[in-house]
Amino acid sequence: MDYNVLGYAIFITVIVFIIVVVGKICYRNGNIFVAELIPDHLDLCQQINKSLLVSYYLVNIGYCAMTLIGWETILSSQQLVEVMSVKVATIVCILSILHYLNIYLLTNTIHKLIK
Amino acid sequence: METTKILIGYAVYLPVALFLTFYVSKTLFKNSKVYMLDIFKGREEIANATNKLFETGFYLLNIGFALLIMKITIGANDYRNLIEALGSKIGGFAIYLGIMLFINLYFFFRGKRKAKENQRPNPFQPSM
């Protein structure tokens, strides 16, 4: 059994799952922020949010697929677990940094809008 | 047979770390709704949405960190070494979680204070 192929399969499954779940949460909770950007045009705002979601999926899943090229050759199941954890952790940390950046921007704009 | 011991270590570490993260963020964000309501001047949808977004970020950050530090190396191949390594890993992660919790609390308090400061010069007017 080629450990690398197994690793790629698990990695892509896990990472796509995480990205889709996080994207769904952001989309659902981001609607209200986006709706404040252009008042009185709810459909337009929802459309903006939808295209944001799609671009988020494209960028993140595309980046994950691109990182597959840099994997070392995996020789044992222990190494598989270690390499997988580091790879998944890198992606999740990048996601969290992006996410906090988003929250910061959103709360700043929303505070200005509420005032 | 060193591999098996380390794999046992991973099998113990991962559930414990995930459970700790889950438990801490559940308690934190159940109690943070009040602050959010204060910060956003009682506008409940925005407060709930922000709370949910922060919770997601908290999960991502902590699970990412837990996976990042997962790699266990033990000198000798026995249960004593494994337990010592696990202890230091889980302890380190718990301390990290505690620090994150306090940072989060600090942000909540700061947001609340700022919201109060902003209210004082021009008293609260319900918007829209």
Side-chain angles (χ1 to χ4, degrees), chain A residues 8-113:
Chain A
Y8 294 154
I10 301 172
F11 174 74
I12 285 293
T13 319
V14 169
I15 228 60
V16 167
F17 175 73
I18 292 175
I19 287 175
V20 167
V21 167
V22 171
K24 276 248 172 75
I25 293 173
C26 287
Y27 174 75
R28 225 179 301 125
N29 293 293
N31 259 335
I32 185 154
F33 292 102
V34 181
E36 300 268 343
L37 291 178
I38 315 171
D40 310 326
H41 287 88
L42 203 58
D43 327 343
L44 191 60
C45 294
Q46 295 230 327
Q47 229 129 60
I48 292 173
N49 208 8
K50 230 168 247 168
S51 49
L52 277 178
L53 181 72
V54 171
S55 63
Y56 160 86
Y57 283 156
L58 284 177
V59 169
N60 286 296
I61 296 176
Y63 178 73
C64 293
M66 274 181 67
T67 55
L68 286 185
I69 209 169
W71 284 42
E72 65 228 66
T73 314
I74 298 167
L75 297 173
S76 65
S77 52
Q78 185 205 333
Q79 203 191 357
L80 176 67
V81 175
E82 286 165 2
V83 170
M84 283 266 309
S85 78
V86 171
K87 296 282 175 190
V88 173
T90 319
I91 301 288
V92 172
C93 283
I94 293 172
L95 267 184
S96 77
I97 292 169
L98 286 176
H99 186 72
Y100 273 114
L101 216 64
N102 264 327
I103 294 178
Y104 176 72
L105 292 175
L106 280 175
T107 44
N108 263 19
T109 38
I110 209 81
H111 264 299
K112 272 179 209 147
L113 288 168

Side-chain angles (χ1 to χ4, degrees), chain B:
Chain B
M1 286 294 282
E2 192 186 16
T3 324
T4 0
K5 293 269 195 311
I6 291 186
L7 280 180
I8 292 171
Y10 292 150
V12 175
Y13 171 76
L14 267 184
V16 171
L18 291 182
F19 173 74
L20 270 178
T21 314
F22 175 74
Y23 181 72
V24 166
S25 62
K26 211 181 88 179
T27 6
L28 178 62
F29 288 99
K30 211 167 51 190
N31 297 309
S32 71
K33 240 177 213 162
V34 187
Y35 297 111
M36 288 295 176
L37 278 176
D38 239 23
I39 292 169
F40 291 104
K41 298 166 190 169
R43 296 182 64 175
E44 201 161 331
E45 331 87 74
I46 294 180
N48 277 341
T50 317
N51 203 20
K52 186 77 193 164
L53 286 177
F54 264 112
E55 194 181 345
T56 316
F58 195 75
Y59 272 124
L60 282 177
L61 199 64
N62 291 322
I63 292 176
F65 187 76
L67 287 176
L68 205 58
I69 63 161
M70 195 178 80
K71 185 169 179 168
I72 296 173
T73 41
I74 51 179
N77 177 31
D78 52 15
Y79 280 109
R80 193 194 136 195
N81 273 286
L82 175 64
I83 291 171
E84 284 170 4
L86 264 182
S88 71
K89 282 272 178 241
I90 293 174
F93 183 65
I95 292 172
Y96 159 81
L97 260 186
I99 293 171
M100 288 311 287
L101 189 66
F102 277 117
I103 292 175
N104 250 294
L105 275 181
Y106 169 74
F107 277 125
F108 289 150
F109 281 125
R110 206 187 67 147
K112 196 176 165 181
R113 206 184 58 223
K114 272 201 166 170
K116 249 186 199 155
E117 272 171 15
N118 284 338
Q119 272 178 27
R120 221 164 276 151
N122 46 336
F124 170 66
Q125 313 159 317
S127 47
M128 299 208 301

